[in-house]
Amino acid sequence: NLKLPKSNVSRRDEREALPENVIAGVYTQLEAGPPDLLAIWTFLVFTGARPSEIRELNVGEVVLDYDVPHLVITEREGRSLKTSWSIRKVPLVGKALYEAKKLVKDAVDASAPVFPRYSGEGGIDRLSQALNGRIRKLSKNPKHVTYSLRHNMSDRLRAAEVFDATQRAIQGHSYGRGEAASYGGDIPL
């Protein structure tokens, strides 16, 4: 029955979208390598997925031989998701599609991790340190972190006037509450 105090900061104010110069600056830092970190950053920028969802991808979850290339984010042995709404397909476009093609080009084992250095125990900490350290070189704002890229995606989807349910589907959020969220299938790719 331990009662923890409520945070004085709303969830919305915990993080801020990254300024474009910070995103570009991290790309510049990652040009020299390592290539897996550049690919993870690119996936995060172009998909709006959670860092944990990207770092735990298996080769078979990068689907390129389909009308709309995409990532399959799903629960499986060794991988849990935040909610059942997190199970989804996320389109791959632009630089993310380019990186995906490079990553799985010669892969033969569909169950192999795409990013072995960051999968498994301690991987999220290594990934956070690697990316947040690069962000910190460009911004001292504590609200600017890797997870901020989800805010950037939300801003881009709203600016493009993407239908609300589609925005929620891409980011792995509930389509709504009550009965409205219980009917219908997935949002098509």
Side-chain angles (χ1 to χ4, degrees):
N1 293 328
L2 181 63
K3 300 283 185 194
L4 297 175
K6 278 190 168 182
S7 173
N8 292 334
V9 179
S10 73
R11 285 184 59 203
R12 181 179 181 168
D13 294 332
E14 287 177 352
R15 296 178 187 96
E16 292 178 359
L18 293 177
E20 288 302 316
N21 68 312
V22 172
I23 294 172
V26 172
Y27 269 118
T28 300
Q29 292 177 49
L30 292 173
E31 284 174 357
D36 60 345
L37 201 55
L38 173 63
I40 290 171
W41 180 255
T42 302
F43 277 17
L44 293 170
V45 169
F46 279 81
T47 67
R50 295 173 182 94
S52 62
E53 294 169 340
I54 296 300
R55 77 169 184 96
E56 294 176 340
L57 283 170
N58 282 346
V59 170
E61 296 165 336
V62 180
V63 180
L64 301 176
D65 57 346
Y66 196 78
D67 289 342
V68 178
H70 59 278
L71 302 177
V72 176
I73 299 177
T74 189
E75 283 190 312
R76 57 174 155 70
E77 180 72 31
R79 178 196 200 159
S80 60
L81 295 175
K82 186 173 180 179
T83 71
S84 62
W85 291 101
S86 298
I87 297 169
R88 65 199 188 277
K89 295 175 182 174
V90 181
L92 287 168
V93 297
K95 289 181 184 179
L97 179 57
Y98 172 78
E99 290 294 332
K101 288 177 180 177
K102 288 192 322 188
L103 286 167
V104 300
K105 178 178 64 169
D106 299 321
V108 291
D109 181 2
S111 66
V114 175
F115 304 108
R117 190 158 56 124
Y118 299 106
S119 66
E121 193 169 325
I124 195 65
D125 294 330
R126 287 189 299 278
L127 180 60
S128 291
Q129 289 172 356
L131 292 177
N132 287 335
R134 285 167 172 81
I135 292 168
R136 205 53 60 228
K137 290 178 184 176
L138 301 160
S139 171
K140 301 302 180 201
N141 184 340
K143 295 180 180 184
H144 290 164
V145 294
T146 304
Y147 205 87
S148 296
L149 292 170
R150 286 181 55 81
H151 293 259
N152 288 82
M153 177 58 79
S154 290
D155 291 346
R156 287 194 304 270
L157 291 169
R158 277 195 291 273
E161 298 181 0
V162 172
F163 184 60
D164 187 55
T166 304
Q167 291 181 40
R168 292 171 165 282
I170 289 171
Q171 292 204 284
H173 294 295
S174 148
Y175 299 162
R177 299 193 185 272
E179 285 185 18
S182 301
Y183 289 91
D186 292 335
I187 302 291
L189 281 168

